[in-house]
Amino acid sequence: MYYRLKDEFRLRGWELLPTGIVRCLSGDVEFLPPAVYRALQKACSSLPVGSTLFSAEEQKMLAELCKAEILEKCEKPTPLSEEQKYRAYPNRFLYSIHWSITDNCNCRCRHCYMSAGKHTEVEPSLKDCLEVVRQMEEAGVRTVSLTGGEALVRRDFFDIVDALIEADILIVTVMSNGLLVNEKTLDEFERRNLRPEFNMSFDGIGCHDWLRGVPGAEKAVRRAFALCKERGFPTGAEYCLHKGNLSALRESVKLLGELGCQTLKVNRLSLEGEALGITDYALTRNEEFQTYLDYIPQFYEDGAPLSLMLSGFFHSDGMEDFDIPFVKNEEGEDCGDYCLCGHARNYMYITPEGTMVPCIPMGSAEGGRRHFPNLRDTKLADALRDSHYMGFINTRLRDYFAHNPGCAACEFRNRCAGGCRGRVASAGGGDDLMARDEDTCAFFRGGWYEKLLKLKEKIK
């Protein structure tokens, strides 16, 4: 008997994380202890199961790997395939990229931060996109989400999809307005054995068309949700909260649940890009927080129809309980060595013009983009080795407190932990990415944290 690495697994390593095992069907990556990894590699070298070259401890490790269905026993030696053989990447690990493949769009949204559809000259060519895919492959990126603008308006959209498949990069999400999510689109994905989540904007029953700037947009996106449910494609949604759709929130969440939508993120209107023309629809943060506080009991009364994220205020996957995303740590923790932004350690956003930033909000402001490298002059792998990008995402909480002594002295310093750098970039134009996040600060210092804790006790 021999050991065999199951077909869906690949052996991979990155700088500082050399012991990775990748499940190609899901994009999942697990990093094993070095001793376990060495035993796994020995088992993949066609040694018999009972070989004396395996120590007693290694035999136990291999039994656990078989139990975990990573290894299996077989009658004949089975060498690793070329795809399974160990590959080391010369850069830090980056799990996923959210990639804007165009700034063109078939909607004219009144709140679009990038004014999509008005600047089509920065749409990257197919050659440019294929080069980005090549660089992702060279850096060991595992998954990608495609967005725009409207990603599906590209005539060569499935050429990009095919290049990602060839590079063994899993497409997990397509961000869309839903107008082009139709039978043909789903057929093309099914033909490639792909079922990404379609994450589609929905801005309220009776309110959606106004914000999207296209008559019939609500009817189209409702049809798209229903079609995805019928065809077995997962869906998520985003809701831009403003004064015109506050009253539609409850019924809209219920409708999305009925349409099979699994997740919904709600955020208030951000005053950037096109939204500067509709400032009278903007909510204050206190108005936003009060809306959430009033709605949460209704969410549970309606049976928690989907997984819901209300900005940083509230997150729930069902009826059991809810989390408060604004709360990062407990006050008793020693958090000085924690990363200021944990999200940025595993995810990146690439803008249509090729700027590599830690998240979409940082890419939405020109002031935010100017701090970070661009693919035109810096390769992705280089950006993940030695660049301002790596310097920023390695920033520690102690660095933030040194920059903001008032936050260091605050009673909520660890719970807040500086808040969200993306919100700081959007609100401040990117001038100081280490500035205080006023939303998170107001949540704690304005008494909203205590109000939400009291509500949590009532719901229990």
Side-chain angles (χ1 to χ4, degrees):
M1 297 289 287
Y2 297 85
Y3 291 107
R4 173 181 177 273
L5 183 66
K6 299 190 78 171
D7 289 341
E8 64 264 34
F9 292 103
R10 311 281 188 264
L11 303 182
R12 300 291 186 264
W14 291 260
E15 183 182 288
L16 303 184
L17 292 170
T19 60
I21 182 165
V22 172
R23 188 188 294 267
C24 65
L25 298 179
S26 65
D28 292 341
V29 182
E30 180 180 359
F31 294 99
L32 302 179
V36 176
Y37 208 71
R38 286 193 294 270
L40 172 62
Q41 288 178 309
K42 282 173 67 174
C44 294
S45 64
S46 299
L47 288 174
V49 168
S51 172
T52 57
L53 294 176
F54 294 123
S55 68
E57 188 62 29
E58 286 176 329
Q59 293 283 12
K60 293 179 183 178
M61 294 173 183
L62 296 176
E64 288 299 314
L65 290 170
C66 288
K67 187 176 180 181
E69 298 187 339
I70 294 171
L71 286 177
E72 63 182 2
K73 294 179 180 179
C74 58
E75 294 291 335
K76 297 179 179 180
T78 307
L80 295 174
S81 68
E82 287 301 315
E83 293 82 6
Q84 290 180 309
K85 288 180 180 178
Y86 184 78
R87 179 173 178 181
Y89 300 102
N91 50 268
R92 295 290 296 274
F93 175 70
L94 179 70
Y95 178 67
S96 188
I97 287 179
H98 193 70
W99 181 22
S100 271
I101 59 175
T102 179
D103 76 344
N104 198 6
C105 189
N106 51 355
C107 280
R108 293 296 179 264
C109 300
R110 298 174 188 268
H111 68 310
C112 183
Y113 73 87
M114 66 164 59
S115 299
K118 293 187 176 182
H119 303 296
T120 56
E121 69 273 9
V122 303
E123 175 168 289
S125 68
L126 177 60
K127 181 180 178 181
D128 292 334
C129 289
L130 297 182
E131 172 61 18
V132 174
V133 173
R134 187 189 67 78
Q135 291 195 32
M136 288 185 194
E137 183 180 18
E138 287 188 347
V141 174
R142 300 313 315 150
T143 72
V144 67
S145 297
L146 300 177
T147 187
E150 170 56 50
L152 294 174
V153 300
R154 289 193 66 124
R155 294 180 182 273
D156 54 10
F157 175 80
F158 281 101
D159 293 324
I160 298 171
V161 169
D162 289 336
L164 288 163
I165 294 171
E166 180 67 23
D168 196 26
I169 300 171
L170 183 65
I171 302 168
V172 293
T173 308
V174 177
M175 308 289 287
S176 177
N177 56 39
L179 272 64
L180 295 175
V181 179
N182 50 37
E183 296 276 8
K184 181 180 178 181
T185 301
L186 301 189
D187 287 345
E188 288 294 328
F189 275 108
E190 282 191 340
R191 190 167 65 82
R192 293 165 171 82
N193 295 315
L194 288 177
R195 285 186 179 274
E197 175 191 282
F198 283 91
N199 189 288
M200 296 177 281
S201 303
F202 189 82
D203 300 303
I205 297 171
C207 310
H208 187 76
D209 285 11
W210 176 81
L211 192 62
R212 296 291 147 182
V214 176
E218 180 180 338
K219 181 179 179 181
V221 73
R222 288 170 70 159
R223 171 199 52 75
F225 276 112
L227 178 62
C228 286
K229 180 181 179 181
E230 177 187 332
R231 296 281 296 270
F233 282 78
T235 55
E238 308 236 355
Y239 192 105
C240 178
L241 191 70
H242 56 81
K243 289 182 178 178
N245 65 3
L246 289 176
S247 61
L249 179 61
R250 181 177 188 177
E251 293 306 313
S252 298
V253 174
K254 288 165 64 176
L255 173 65
L256 287 169
E258 293 167 3
L259 290 171
C261 181
Q262 290 110 327
T263 63
L264 173 64
K265 294 180 183 178
V266 181
N267 288 286
R268 76 172 185 268
L269 177 69
S270 180
L271 293 180
E272 52 189 329
E274 294 299 290
L276 293 173
I278 54 170
T279 56
D280 51 333
Y281 280 82
L283 299 167
T284 65
R285 65 175 60 94
N286 283 344
E287 289 173 330
E288 180 191 22
F289 292 165
Q290 188 61 54
T291 297
Y292 297 156
L293 200 67
D294 293 341
Y295 171 66
I296 290 168
Q298 298 173 352
F299 173 74
Y300 287 104
E301 288 170 15
D302 297 335
L306 41 64
S307 176
L308 180 65
M309 175 80 81
L310 300 173
S311 187
F313 197 88
F314 167 94
H315 172 255
S316 176
D317 284 329
M319 293 293 291
E320 296 301 317
D321 201 352
F322 66 79
D323 303 316
I324 304 173
F326 277 135
V327 178
K328 290 188 177 180
N329 313 296
E330 294 300 322
E331 285 306 325
E333 294 183 64
D334 181 6
C335 302
D337 199 40
Y338 291 5
C339 287
L340 183 56
C341 179
H343 175 87
R345 293 307 300 262
N346 289 314
Y347 298 89
M348 173 189 281
Y349 172 54
I350 297 180
T351 69
E353 65 270 21
T355 306
M356 296 170 276
V357 293
C359 64
I360 290 178
M362 283 196 182
S364 69
E366 183 177 352
R369 292 193 298 272
R370 65 180 162 81
H371 294 281
F372 296 98
N374 191 288
L375 286 166
R376 295 170 184 162
D377 45 46
T378 303
K379 290 185 177 181
L380 176 59
D382 291 338
L384 295 173
R385 276 197 299 265
D386 183 19
S387 71
H388 180 75
Y389 181 90
M390 284 305 304
F392 179 82
I393 68 171
N394 280 326
T395 302
R396 306 295 165 164
L397 199 50
R398 70 167 66 90
D399 302 321
Y400 172 81
F401 287 141
H403 188 77
N404 297 277
C407 294
C410 179
E411 63 179 304
F412 300 110
R413 54 174 273 161
N414 285 346
R415 288 195 182 100
C416 169
C420 173
R421 299 301 90 203
R423 279 195 294 267
V424 167
S426 294
D431 291 335
D432 181 7
L433 297 182
M434 293 283 280
R436 183 175 72 181
D437 173 12
E438 298 296 342
D439 278 11
T440 306
C441 183
F443 174 78
F444 288 106
R445 296 178 70 87
W448 295 100
Y449 178 55
E450 287 78 11
K451 292 177 184 179
L452 194 50
L453 289 179
K454 288 179 182 178
L455 178 60
K456 194 170 189 177
E457 287 301 315
K458 289 181 181 179
I459 290 174
K460 285 183 178 179

PDB file of all heavy atoms in Angstrom, residues 47-73:
ATOM      1  N   LEU A  47       6.797   6.259  -1.036  1.00  0.00           N
ATOM      2  CA  LEU A  47       7.254   5.319  -0.010  1.00  0.00           C
ATOM      3  C   LEU A  47       6.097   4.426   0.414  1.00  0.00           C
ATOM      4  O   LEU A  47       4.959   4.904   0.538  1.00  0.00           O
ATOM      5  CB  LEU A  47       7.773   6.072   1.215  1.00  0.00           C
ATOM      6  CG  LEU A  47       9.118   6.798   1.074  1.00  0.00           C
ATOM      7  CD1 LEU A  47       9.398   7.603   2.332  1.00  0.00           C
ATOM      8  CD2 LEU A  47      10.233   5.821   0.791  1.00  0.00           C
ATOM      9  N   PRO A  48       6.339   3.133   0.660  1.00  0.00           N
ATOM     10  CA  PRO A  48       5.255   2.270   1.146  1.00  0.00           C
ATOM     11  C   PRO A  48       4.722   2.758   2.485  1.00  0.00           C
ATOM     12  O   PRO A  48       5.446   3.376   3.282  1.00  0.00           O
ATOM     13  CB  PRO A  48       5.941   0.903   1.287  1.00  0.00           C
ATOM     14  CG  PRO A  48       7.138   0.975   0.413  1.00  0.00           C
ATOM     15  CD  PRO A  48       7.594   2.399   0.432  1.00  0.00           C
ATOM     16  N   VAL A  49       3.450   2.460   2.744  1.00  0.00           N
ATOM     17  CA  VAL A  49       2.794   2.924   3.964  1.00  0.00           C
ATOM     18  C   VAL A  49       3.573   2.521   5.215  1.00  0.00           C
ATOM     19  O   VAL A  49       3.747   3.301   6.148  1.00  0.00           O
ATOM     20  CB  VAL A  49       1.348   2.374   4.031  1.00  0.00           C
ATOM     21  CG1 VAL A  49       0.756   2.584   5.412  1.00  0.00           C
ATOM     22  CG2 VAL A  49       0.489   3.056   2.966  1.00  0.00           C
ATOM     23  N   GLY A  50       4.084   1.312   5.267  1.00  0.00           N
ATOM     24  CA  GLY A  50       4.775   0.833   6.457  1.00  0.00           C
ATOM     25  C   GLY A  50       6.261   1.072   6.470  1.00  0.00           C
ATOM     26  O   GLY A  50       6.981   0.477   7.288  1.00  0.00           O
ATOM     27  N   SER A  51       6.764   1.932   5.607  1.00  0.00           N
ATOM     28  CA  SER A  51       8.206   2.142   5.491  1.00  0.00           C
ATOM     29  C   SER A  51       8.812   2.593   6.820  1.00  0.00           C
ATOM     30  O   SER A  51       8.241   3.420   7.537  1.00  0.00           O
ATOM     31  CB  SER A  51       8.502   3.189   4.413  1.00  0.00           C
ATOM     32  OG  SER A  51       9.869   3.527   4.410  1.00  0.00           O
ATOM     33  N   THR A  52       9.997   2.049   7.118  1.00  0.00           N
ATOM     34  CA  THR A  52      10.711   2.447   8.336  1.00  0.00           C
ATOM     35  C   THR A  52      11.251   3.878   8.233  1.00  0.00           C
ATOM     36  O   THR A  52      11.728   4.428   9.235  1.00  0.00           O
ATOM     37  CB  THR A  52      11.878   1.482   8.597  1.00  0.00           C
ATOM     38  OG1 THR A  52      12.735   1.468   7.443  1.00  0.00           O
ATOM     39  CG2 THR A  52      11.367   0.083   8.892  1.00  0.00           C
ATOM     40  N   LEU A  53      11.185   4.461   7.034  1.00  0.00           N
ATOM     41  CA  LEU A  53      11.615   5.853   6.877  1.00  0.00           C
ATOM     42  C   LEU A  53      10.617   6.828   7.499  1.00  0.00           C
ATOM     43  O   LEU A  53      10.920   8.006   7.668  1.00  0.00           O
ATOM     44  CB  LEU A  53      11.814   6.179   5.398  1.00  0.00           C
ATOM     45  CG  LEU A  53      12.952   5.423   4.707  1.00  0.00           C
ATOM     46  CD1 LEU A  53      12.981   5.765   3.224  1.00  0.00           C
ATOM     47  CD2 LEU A  53      14.292   5.755   5.365  1.00  0.00           C
ATOM     48  N   PHE A  54       9.410   6.333   7.817  1.00  0.00           N
ATOM     49  CA  PHE A  54       8.443   7.136   8.562  1.00  0.00           C
ATOM     50  C   PHE A  54       8.629   6.863  10.049  1.00  0.00           C
ATOM     51  O   PHE A  54       8.569   5.699  10.488  1.00  0.00           O
ATOM     52  CB  PHE A  54       7.002   6.792   8.174  1.00  0.00           C
ATOM     53  CG  PHE A  54       6.631   7.141   6.756  1.00  0.00           C
ATOM     54  CD1 PHE A  54       6.156   6.162   5.888  1.00  0.00           C
ATOM     55  CD2 PHE A  54       6.749   8.439   6.288  1.00  0.00           C
ATOM     56  CE1 PHE A  54       5.802   6.468   4.584  1.00  0.00           C
ATOM     57  CE2 PHE A  54       6.402   8.757   4.986  1.00  0.00           C
ATOM     58  CZ  PHE A  54       5.928   7.769   4.127  1.00  0.00           C
ATOM     59  N   SER A  55       8.827   7.900  10.826  1.00  0.00           N
ATOM     60  CA  SER A  55       8.903   7.718  12.269  1.00  0.00           C
ATOM     61  C   SER A  55       7.516   7.403  12.808  1.00  0.00           C
ATOM     62  O   SER A  55       6.499   7.572  12.119  1.00  0.00           O
ATOM     63  CB  SER A  55       9.438   8.981  12.939  1.00  0.00           C
ATOM     64  OG  SER A  55       8.495  10.037  12.819  1.00  0.00           O
ATOM     65  N   ALA A  56       7.452   6.969  14.062  1.00  0.00           N
ATOM     66  CA  ALA A  56       6.153   6.677  14.692  1.00  0.00           C
ATOM     67  C   ALA A  56       5.290   7.934  14.722  1.00  0.00           C
ATOM     68  O   ALA A  56       4.073   7.877  14.502  1.00  0.00           O
ATOM     69  CB  ALA A  56       6.375   6.128  16.098  1.00  0.00           C
ATOM     70  N   GLU A  57       5.932   9.081  14.988  1.00  0.00           N
ATOM     71  CA  GLU A  57       5.178  10.339  15.037  1.00  0.00           C
ATOM     72  C   GLU A  57       4.651  10.694  13.649  1.00  0.00           C
ATOM     73  O   GLU A  57       3.521  11.164  13.493  1.00  0.00           O
ATOM     74  CB  GLU A  57       6.069  11.462  15.571  1.00  0.00           C
ATOM     75  CG  GLU A  57       5.349  12.766  15.857  1.00  0.00           C
ATOM     76  CD  GLU A  57       4.278  12.634  16.922  1.00  0.00           C
ATOM     77  OE1 GLU A  57       4.413  11.770  17.812  1.00  0.00           O
ATOM     78  OE2 GLU A  57       3.291  13.397  16.846  1.00  0.00           O
ATOM     79  N   GLU A  58       5.463  10.472  12.615  1.00  0.00           N
ATOM     80  CA  GLU A  58       5.019  10.757  11.246  1.00  0.00           C
ATOM     81  C   GLU A  58       3.873   9.835  10.840  1.00  0.00           C
ATOM     82  O   GLU A  58       2.948  10.266  10.138  1.00  0.00           O
ATOM     83  CB  GLU A  58       6.191  10.608  10.277  1.00  0.00           C
ATOM     84  CG  GLU A  58       7.183  11.754  10.365  1.00  0.00           C
ATOM     85  CD  GLU A  58       8.392  11.549   9.474  1.00  0.00           C
ATOM     86  OE1 GLU A  58       8.789  10.372   9.256  1.00  0.00           O
ATOM     87  OE2 GLU A  58       8.950  12.549   8.987  1.00  0.00           O
ATOM     88  N   GLN A  59       3.916   8.584  11.280  1.00  0.00           N
ATOM     89  CA  GLN A  59       2.809   7.664  10.981  1.00  0.00           C
ATOM     90  C   GLN A  59       1.500   8.199  11.545  1.00  0.00           C
ATOM     91  O   GLN A  59       0.452   8.115  10.897  1.00  0.00           O
ATOM     92  CB  GLN A  59       3.108   6.275  11.558  1.00  0.00           C
ATOM     93  CG  GLN A  59       4.272   5.542  10.906  1.00  0.00           C
ATOM     94  CD  GLN A  59       3.916   4.931   9.547  1.00  0.00           C
ATOM     95  OE1 GLN A  59       2.879   5.226   8.963  1.00  0.00           O
ATOM     96  NE2 GLN A  59       4.798   4.058   9.057  1.00  0.00           N
ATOM     97  N   LYS A  60       1.567   8.766  12.743  1.00  0.00           N
ATOM     98  CA  LYS A  60       0.363   9.369  13.335  1.00  0.00           C
ATOM     99  C   LYS A  60      -0.102  10.563  12.512  1.00  0.00           C
ATOM    100  O   LYS A  60      -1.302  10.757  12.287  1.00  0.00           O
ATOM    101  CB  LYS A  60       0.650   9.796  14.774  1.00  0.00           C
ATOM    102  CG  LYS A  60       0.896   8.651  15.741  1.00  0.00           C
ATOM    103  CD  LYS A  60       1.205   9.200  17.132  1.00  0.00           C
ATOM    104  CE  LYS A  60       1.528   8.073  18.108  1.00  0.00           C
ATOM    105  NZ  LYS A  60       1.878   8.615  19.455  1.00  0.00           N
ATOM    106  N   MET A  61       0.845  11.382  12.079  1.00  0.00           N
ATOM    107  CA  MET A  61       0.505  12.556  11.262  1.00  0.00           C
ATOM    108  C   MET A  61      -0.168  12.131   9.961  1.00  0.00           C
ATOM    109  O   MET A  61      -1.172  12.730   9.538  1.00  0.00           O
ATOM    110  CB  MET A  61       1.766  13.365  10.952  1.00  0.00           C
ATOM    111  CG  MET A  61       2.424  14.001  12.155  1.00  0.00           C
ATOM    112  SD  MET A  61       4.013  14.756  11.676  1.00  0.00           S
ATOM    113  CE  MET A  61       4.612  15.344  13.269  1.00  0.00           C
ATOM    114  N   LEU A  62       0.369  11.107   9.323  1.00  0.00           N
ATOM    115  CA  LEU A  62      -0.186  10.647   8.050  1.00  0.00           C
ATOM    116  C   LEU A  62      -1.572  10.038   8.240  1.00  0.00           C
ATOM    117  O   LEU A  62      -2.451  10.199   7.379  1.00  0.00           O
ATOM    118  CB  LEU A  62       0.762   9.642   7.402  1.00  0.00           C
ATOM    119  CG  LEU A  62       2.133  10.210   7.011  1.00  0.00           C
ATOM    120  CD1 LEU A  62       3.033   9.105   6.478  1.00  0.00           C
ATOM    121  CD2 LEU A  62       1.994  11.331   5.999  1.00  0.00           C
ATOM    122  N   ALA A  63      -1.782   9.373   9.374  1.00  0.00           N
ATOM    123  CA  ALA A  63      -3.117   8.838   9.665  1.00  0.00           C
ATOM    124  C   ALA A  63      -4.127   9.980   9.797  1.00  0.00           C
ATOM    125  O   ALA A  63      -5.269   9.876   9.323  1.00  0.00           O
ATOM    126  CB  ALA A  63      -3.082   8.010  10.951  1.00  0.00           C
ATOM    127  N   GLU A  64      -3.690  11.093  10.409  1.00  0.00           N
ATOM    128  CA  GLU A  64      -4.583  12.260  10.539  1.00  0.00           C
ATOM    129  C   GLU A  64      -4.862  12.894   9.184  1.00  0.00           C
ATOM    130  O   GLU A  64      -5.981  13.353   8.917  1.00  0.00           O
ATOM    131  CB  GLU A  64      -3.954  13.286  11.490  1.00  0.00           C
ATOM    132  CG  GLU A  64      -3.974  12.880  12.949  1.00  0.00           C
ATOM    133  CD  GLU A  64      -5.390  12.686  13.475  1.00  0.00           C
ATOM    134  OE1 GLU A  64      -6.239  13.558  13.200  1.00  0.00           O
ATOM    135  OE2 GLU A  64      -5.642  11.666  14.125  1.00  0.00           O
ATOM    136  N   LEU A  65      -3.854  12.925   8.310  1.00  0.00           N
ATOM    137  CA  LEU A  65      -4.055  13.473   6.969  1.00  0.00           C
ATOM    138  C   LEU A  65      -5.010  12.610   6.152  1.00  0.00           C
ATOM    139  O   LEU A  65      -5.790  13.124   5.338  1.00  0.00           O
ATOM    140  CB  LEU A  65      -2.718  13.617   6.250  1.00  0.00           C
ATOM    141  CG  LEU A  65      -1.784  14.706   6.795  1.00  0.00           C
ATOM    142  CD1 LEU A  65      -0.400  14.595   6.154  1.00  0.00           C
ATOM    143  CD2 LEU A  65      -2.364  16.101   6.570  1.00  0.00           C
ATOM    144  N   CYS A  66      -4.966  11.296   6.374  1.00  0.00           N
ATOM    145  CA  CYS A  66      -5.927  10.405   5.713  1.00  0.00           C
ATOM    146  C   CYS A  66      -7.328  10.641   6.271  1.00  0.00           C
ATOM    147  O   CYS A  66      -8.320  10.679   5.523  1.00  0.00           O
ATOM    148  CB  CYS A  66      -5.517   8.947   5.901  1.00  0.00           C
ATOM    149  SG  CYS A  66      -4.076   8.444   4.936  1.00  0.00           S
ATOM    150  N   LYS A  67      -7.411  10.825   7.580  1.00  0.00           N
ATOM    151  CA  LYS A  67      -8.699  11.089   8.212  1.00  0.00           C
ATOM    152  C   LYS A  67      -9.299  12.399   7.704  1.00  0.00           C
ATOM    153  O   LYS A  67     -10.517  12.523   7.545  1.00  0.00           O
ATOM    154  CB  LYS A  67      -8.522  11.136   9.728  1.00  0.00           C
ATOM    155  CG  LYS A  67      -9.804  11.243  10.517  1.00  0.00           C
ATOM    156  CD  LYS A  67      -9.520  11.194  12.017  1.00  0.00           C
ATOM    157  CE  LYS A  67     -10.807  11.314  12.814  1.00  0.00           C
ATOM    158  NZ  LYS A  67     -10.535  11.284  14.294  1.00  0.00           N
ATOM    159  N   ALA A  68      -8.419  13.364   7.437  1.00  0.00           N
ATOM    160  CA  ALA A  68      -8.863  14.660   6.909  1.00  0.00           C
ATOM    161  C   ALA A  68      -9.145  14.616   5.415  1.00  0.00           C
ATOM    162  O   ALA A  68      -9.494  15.634   4.812  1.00  0.00           O
ATOM    163  CB  ALA A  68      -7.809  15.726   7.203  1.00  0.00           C
ATOM    164  N   GLU A  69      -8.969  13.456   4.808  1.00  0.00           N
ATOM    165  CA  GLU A  69      -9.209  13.224   3.376  1.00  0.00           C
ATOM    166  C   GLU A  69      -8.324  14.082   2.480  1.00  0.00           C
ATOM    167  O   GLU A  69      -8.734  14.528   1.414  1.00  0.00           O
ATOM    168  CB  GLU A  69     -10.698  13.417   3.040  1.00  0.00           C
ATOM    169  CG  GLU A  69     -11.602  12.440   3.781  1.00  0.00           C
ATOM    170  CD  GLU A  69     -13.056  12.517   3.333  1.00  0.00           C
ATOM    171  OE1 GLU A  69     -13.443  13.558   2.773  1.00  0.00           O
ATOM    172  OE2 GLU A  69     -13.777  11.538   3.530  1.00  0.00           O
ATOM    173  N   ILE A  70      -7.099  14.292   2.948  1.00  0.00           N
ATOM    174  CA  ILE A  70      -6.079  14.935   2.132  1.00  0.00           C
ATOM    175  C   ILE A  70      -5.242  13.860   1.435  1.00  0.00           C
ATOM    176  O   ILE A  70      -4.964  13.950   0.238  1.00  0.00           O
ATOM    177  CB  ILE A  70      -5.191  15.854   2.999  1.00  0.00           C
ATOM    178  CG1 ILE A  70      -6.033  17.020   3.534  1.00  0.00           C
ATOM    179  CG2 ILE A  70      -3.998  16.369   2.199  1.00  0.00           C
ATOM    180  CD1 ILE A  70      -5.316  17.866   4.561  1.00  0.00           C
ATOM    181  N   LEU A  71      -4.877  12.842   2.193  1.00  0.00           N
ATOM    182  CA  LEU A  71      -4.215  11.663   1.643  1.00  0.00           C
ATOM    183  C   LEU A  71      -5.189  10.498   1.588  1.00  0.00           C
ATOM    184  O   LEU A  71      -6.183  10.468   2.324  1.00  0.00           O
ATOM    185  CB  LEU A  71      -3.030  11.258   2.527  1.00  0.00           C
ATOM    186  CG  LEU A  71      -1.749  12.091   2.492  1.00  0.00           C
ATOM    187  CD1 LEU A  71      -0.759  11.524   3.498  1.00  0.00           C
ATOM    188  CD2 LEU A  71      -1.143  12.135   1.098  1.00  0.00           C
ATOM    189  N   GLU A  72      -4.904   9.551   0.716  1.00  0.00           N
ATOM    190  CA  GLU A  72      -5.627   8.287   0.709  1.00  0.00           C
ATOM    191  C   GLU A  72      -4.644   7.164   0.375  1.00  0.00           C
ATOM    192  O   GLU A  72      -3.590   7.392  -0.207  1.00  0.00           O
ATOM    193  CB  GLU A  72      -6.782   8.311  -0.296  1.00  0.00           C
ATOM    194  CG  GLU A  72      -6.363   8.483  -1.734  1.00  0.00           C
ATOM    195  CD  GLU A  72      -7.557   8.544  -2.678  1.00  0.00           C
ATOM    196  OE1 GLU A  72      -8.693   8.487  -2.191  1.00  0.00           O
ATOM    197  OE2 GLU A  72      -7.332   8.649  -3.898  1.00  0.00           O
ATOM    198  N   LYS A  73      -4.983   5.949   0.783  1.00  0.00           N
ATOM    199  CA  LYS A  73      -4.126   4.803   0.494  1.00  0.00           C
ATOM    200  C   LYS A  73      -4.524   4.183  -0.834  1.00  0.00           C
ATOM    201  O   LYS A  73      -5.701   4.191  -1.208  1.00  0.00           O
ATOM    202  CB  LYS A  73      -4.229   3.787   1.624  1.00  0.00           C
ATOM    203  CG  LYS A  73      -3.666   4.298   2.945  1.00  0.00           C
ATOM    204  CD  LYS A  73      -3.807   3.266   4.059  1.00  0.00           C
ATOM    205  CE  LYS A  73      -3.241   3.818   5.370  1.00  0.00           C
ATOM    206  NZ  LYS A  73      -3.390   2.856   6.487  1.00  0.00           N
TER     207      LYS A  73
END
